Amino acid sequence: SSAASDVYKRQGPNSTSELSAQLEALKHYKVLCERKILDMAPGHPLPIKPEHIGKGIPKGMVNELSSLRTRIEKLNTENKQLRAELARNSPAKGANVERLKNENKKLEELLHAEMAVKEEQDKYVESLQETVKGRLSKSGNDALKRHSEALLRMFEMERQLKEKYGRMNAHAR
């Protein structure tokens, strides 16, 4: 009896209200467990008795489990196929990405070079126009002046159209 009193002293006194609260919590947990059992096995008899344990799964659940297993197998097979396809395609895609990056770099370099040439050509055309204007102003021939000025306006309009067309093409890309 002294061993029982030692256990009582270690656990502390359990009041009737504490035991009642524990009993209520266990009853609530029992209800939750029974609901879950019915979710998993509709029609299973309640309360659960020792003879129910190990008796197998109800027929409705056997069919459902079988279809779920088949679905899982199909998904696993599909997953394996997709992983294999990804493994086969990954190296090729990686090489393709590198090739595209190199090609893009070369195109950028060509574009910069082309832009530099265009700027030089624009400067040259502007210089020629200024030279023509200077010579026309020194020339006394009015018809030649009018003709040359019209030609210069035409060159300027052509340059503006090329710029506009170039911007339109750049935006289209």
Side-chain angles (χ1 to χ4, degrees):
S1 178
S2 68
S5 66
D6 287 343
V7 170
Y8 179 77
K9 287 177 189 174
R10 278 189 304 226
Q11 290 180 350
N14 283 335
S15 69
T16 306
S17 63
E18 288 176 345
L19 290 174
S20 178
Q22 285 180 346
L23 180 60
E24 284 302 312
L26 289 172
K27 283 180 181 179
H28 180 67
Y29 185 69
K30 174 191 165 250
V31 170
L32 287 175
C33 290
E34 287 176 344
R35 283 185 186 165
K36 184 63 178 174
I37 289 169
L38 289 177
D39 282 348
M40 294 171 47
H44 194 285
L46 295 176
I48 307 273
K49 297 180 182 173
E51 59 264 17
H52 295 146
I53 306 299
K55 293 291 182 188
I57 302 171
K59 282 190 178 187
M61 285 199 64
V62 170
N63 293 337
E64 187 177 341
L65 284 175
S66 176
S67 67
L68 287 174
R69 282 187 182 125
T70 303
R71 178 82 174 127
I72 288 170
E73 287 173 14
K74 285 180 183 177
L75 289 172
N76 282 336
T77 302
E78 186 178 331
N79 187 16
K80 286 178 186 176
Q81 290 171 346
L82 289 172
R83 285 179 185 262
E85 184 178 333
L86 181 64
R88 284 191 309 270
N89 290 335
S90 290
K93 286 182 181 176
N96 195 28
V97 167
E98 281 304 311
R99 182 186 59 78
L100 290 173
K101 283 181 181 179
N102 289 335
E103 189 175 316
N104 188 40
K105 185 177 178 182
K106 288 177 185 176
L107 288 173
E108 284 178 358
E109 289 171 358
L110 287 172
L111 178 62
H112 288 296
E114 189 174 315
M115 288 172 58
V117 167
K118 182 194 175 302
E119 288 175 11
E120 287 298 317
Q121 287 176 343
D122 287 347
K123 288 178 185 175
Y124 182 69
V125 166
E126 192 176 312
S127 171
L128 287 175
Q129 287 176 340
E130 292 302 317
T131 302
V132 168
K133 285 179 185 176
R135 289 187 180 168
L136 285 176
S137 65
K138 293 178 186 177
S139 162
N141 190 337
D142 288 336
L144 182 60
K145 281 183 185 179
R146 285 192 306 274
H147 180 69
S148 297
E149 288 172 356
L151 192 57
L152 288 172
R153 282 195 304 273
M154 185 181 75
F155 285 142
E156 179 60 23
M157 288 176 15
E158 182 182 22
R159 186 189 64 77
Q160 289 174 355
L161 284 173
K162 283 181 181 179
E163 272 186 28
K164 185 175 182 176
Y165 180 73
R167 284 193 305 265
M168 287 173 37
N169 280 343
H171 289 296
R173 294 178 196 167

